[in-house]
Amino acid sequence: MNGITRVRALVVTLVGLLLASAIPLLATARPAAASDNGQSVRPAMGWSSWSFVRRTPTEAKIKAQADALVSTGLKDHGFVYVNLDDFWQKCDDNGFVVDSYGRWSVDTAKFPGGIKALADYIHSKGLKFGFYVTPGIAKNAVTRNTPIEGTSYHAKDIADTSKTEKNYNCKNMYYIDYSKPGAQEFVNSWARQFASWGVDYLKIDGVGGADIPDVQAWDKALRATGRPINFALSNNLPIADAATWRRLSNSWRTQGDVECYCGPGSNGSGYPLTDWSHVLGRFNSAASWQPHAGPGGWNDLDSLELGNGDRVGLNADQRRSHFTLWAMAAAPLLLGTDLTQLDSVDRAMLNNDRLIGVDQDGVAASRIVNSGVRQVWSKKESDGQYVVALFNTGTSGSTSVSVDWSQVGFTGSGDVTDLWSGSRKGVIADSYSATLRPGETRLIRVKPVGSLKAAAAPGMAVAPYEYLGWGSPPDPASVMSATGVRWFTLAFILSDGGCNPKWDGSRPLTGGNDQAKIKAIRAAGGDVTVSVGGWSGAKLGEKCSSASALAGAYQKVINAYGLKAIDIDIENTEWSDATVRQRVVDALKIVKANNAGLKTVITFGTTTSGPDATGVDMIRRAAGSGLANDVWCVMPFDFGGGSTNMGALTTQAMEGLKARIKSAYGYSDATAYARIGLSSMNGRTDDTGERVRVADFKAMLAYAQQHHIGRLTYWAVNRDRACGSGTDGDACSGVSQQPYDFLKVFAQYTG
């Protein structure tokens, strides 16, 4: 490992990732038994055809909405799904027209190019395609006794013709008897067809308690396709089966439709799309279902009717309250309006990344005040701040809504920021109140004043690397005293020749100097994350033969020190091997599932324009596998050519990284920035002539402060001093400086 290079550690448990628009991570224990299909780590965002397009979808209409998501900039804020709902199918007098294998046929009058062509168009826009189905098998399939693809079975072998399934379009759907051979295979064939068309999101509608076998079958079938597909259930699902819905799917509709069906068109279509009573009904269901939401599975409150101004049936105050409730509930944000006619007032609402951040933080709020028209909801962010929403749900008369900080979860004073306006309201003691118009809301973020001093100290996001095996390591307590840092990234854990972790591959995890140093750091009020990998030595990713074995090795390190974060510094031969990269991804999924709240960082090299082809592949593998990695951290140095303007080159590389993360995961800009980090190198790098100076660190700090990135660190505190007699590149920077000049710059960063 060129002693000097590499690594970075840490995960951002978010010592500050929650400033204004940054997206915080879940701090509390996650609900048990979430779907492990890797989808919907955060609530889905996009557009659905039902509310506005209703029963008359066409290829042209869906393409127009996809175009509008891009042209209006909504895509850039995270609205990426384009979901085609019901009425894409062709019907006759006996129900759905079916193909040769008994599956619904596409109405080619509406979709002349077919569904795959539509999905391809949507994908070409950088968006994702959603689709629709209901449980059961069509009467026409049974009447024709169509074969089940790839089997010797037929429709009559699996249909229970004594019962008809709920269907809102062509009707005439029989139950499937899943005790019969061929039943699962029928659903598998349908799922394969959808996957081949490019479906990224599948809504199965008309689901009730009696349809659990169908949900199980579809969950199994979608996984078997090998295509990542977000699996959504609808509608008005029984809460008694909440644990089942969470285990098998990624979202579930908690009530009936939010649409009022009170428009002038057929079946109540047209404007208005909804009314306040339909939105108001969601307050109680959101409160009841709150314990069941979390990463991988969300309470779906139905479409967000925002975008067409007052025409939707809500005034501006009510629309803000509508958005606020959905965000506080961490519900999917699926717009139901006509995006080709986006209202300017609503566009400003939808572009508010502070609101989107509240939705995407992975925490469903609890209702703490429910008194007449007065409601208050609250949730705690992972850095100790709170988000609080106050509502006047009435339809006439202003009213004062108040909440004590003790009800929110702390006592004393709180530093308040209004999230709709972005304005700071200052420090407010004991309680907060607002006089609200009928239907109005106030959404605030509150930082308990008692935590301000602690929050100002750099934490996990600025955990400098220290290597205890060489480089004349400084005493961590002295570094803490001199710079104010509290966290360190200790390196490196390697293989001892097999799938067993040791410091440098030789020193035991416990009982030695490494553990003693960790205890001393914690005794001084700090903490550590541990870095696994680096440039040199035998890597666990290569020596462990499977993802489960590698996860077990990582777990030994986590258990040895009770870690809150782990850094996987993947370099050299471990990085260049695609099989190993996938093994690391799969191992981290296992580790995150088994360690609630553990933060993971993946650290790797970069070009001046961002990740190279291998880095892009790693990110795509992780996103496709459903790994919700907390921080993607690049090492912006060793660029070659004697580069000197390393601050500018670093921010350029970071923008490239942000674009790759945003694209792969479908994040908003704010979320993407919160999930990236940098680990620079101070002073002389491994490339002759390349120098990273204190001025460059200041440029990196400014970038971090502007975008609230998840990680700002460097290699290494061992080198943060001038060279002198008896020192070399592993123990000094190679530039003129005072001790810890570089760390003192990064120590100003709080997230």
Side-chain angles (χ1 to χ4, degrees), residues 34-258:
S35 172
D36 62 355
N37 68 356
Q39 300 306 296
S40 211
V41 175
R42 296 293 184 233
M45 296 174 60
W47 175 86
S48 173
S49 66
W50 183 250
S51 292
F52 170 69
V53 175
R54 205 70 59 96
R55 297 185 175 204
T56 60
T58 65
E59 181 179 300
K61 289 178 181 179
I62 305 304
K63 285 183 175 180
Q65 298 299 321
D67 292 344
L69 274 178
V70 177
S71 64
T72 61
L74 289 174
K75 171 194 166 189
D76 295 332
H77 291 273
F79 293 91
V80 296
Y81 284 101
V82 178
N83 294 347
L84 170 58
D85 206 271
D86 203 358
F87 287 81
W88 58 266
Q89 320 91 330
K90 186 174 179 60
C91 305
D92 63 19
D93 291 341
N94 293 312
F96 291 99
V97 175
V98 297
D99 67 9
S100 59
Y101 294 114
R103 304 166 302 204
W104 297 346
S105 292
V106 178
D107 188 340
T108 54
K110 295 178 178 179
F111 299 93
I115 300 302
K116 185 179 188 306
L118 176 61
D120 288 346
Y121 181 85
I122 288 168
H123 292 151
S124 74
K125 298 287 183 177
L127 300 167
K128 296 183 178 183
F129 176 61
F131 207 43
Y132 176 98
V133 73
T134 64
I137 186 167
K139 179 180 179 181
N140 276 325
V142 179
T143 301
R144 290 173 50 191
N145 200 24
T146 52
I148 295 170
E149 186 181 35
T151 76
S152 60
Y153 304 110
H154 292 74
K156 288 182 179 179
D157 296 327
I158 67 171
D160 180 352
T161 57
S162 69
K163 298 186 295 183
T164 54
E165 279 278 11
K166 183 182 293 185
N167 183 272
Y168 307 98
N169 183 353
C170 304
K171 313 294 193 294
N172 296 295
M173 291 290 292
Y174 292 128
Y175 271 77
I176 294 174
D177 184 346
Y178 286 98
S179 70
K180 300 294 183 63
Q184 181 66 56
E185 289 78 5
F186 173 69
V187 177
N188 289 351
S189 76
W190 217 347
R192 285 195 302 271
Q193 182 186 62
F194 290 169
S196 72
W197 288 348
V199 170
D200 304 298
Y201 177 109
L202 183 65
K203 171 182 172 180
I204 180 169
D205 202 0
V207 174
D211 299 305
I212 289 174
D214 293 89
V215 177
Q216 291 173 323
W218 275 100
D219 174 48
K220 184 177 181 180
L222 293 175
R223 293 170 188 263
T225 67
R227 182 176 181 83
I229 298 177
N230 194 324
F231 186 29
L233 306 180
S234 184
N235 62 48
N236 200 21
L237 276 77
I239 196 170
D241 297 312
T244 298
W245 311 136
R246 178 165 175 78
R247 177 171 56 85
L248 297 175
S249 68
N250 301 118
S251 64
W252 41 87
R253 279 273 302 282
T254 60
Q255 285 181 258
D257 292 353
V258 75

Side-chain angles (χ1 to χ4, degrees), residues 225-300:
T225 67
R227 182 176 181 83
I229 298 177
N230 194 324
F231 186 29
L233 306 180
S234 184
N235 62 48
N236 200 21
L237 276 77
I239 196 170
D241 297 312
T244 298
W245 311 136
R246 178 165 175 78
R247 177 171 56 85
L248 297 175
S249 68
N250 301 118
S251 64
W252 41 87
R253 279 273 302 282
T254 60
Q255 285 181 258
D257 292 353
V258 75
E259 293 84 10
C260 63
Y261 298 98
C262 52
S266 60
N267 305 111
S269 60
Y271 297 106
L273 302 178
T274 189
D275 56 34
W276 182 238
S277 66
H278 279 75
V279 172
L280 184 58
R282 265 60 186 173
F283 280 81
N284 285 339
S285 67
S288 299
W289 283 83
Q290 182 271 337
H292 303 291
W298 307 101
N299 299 321
D300 184 356

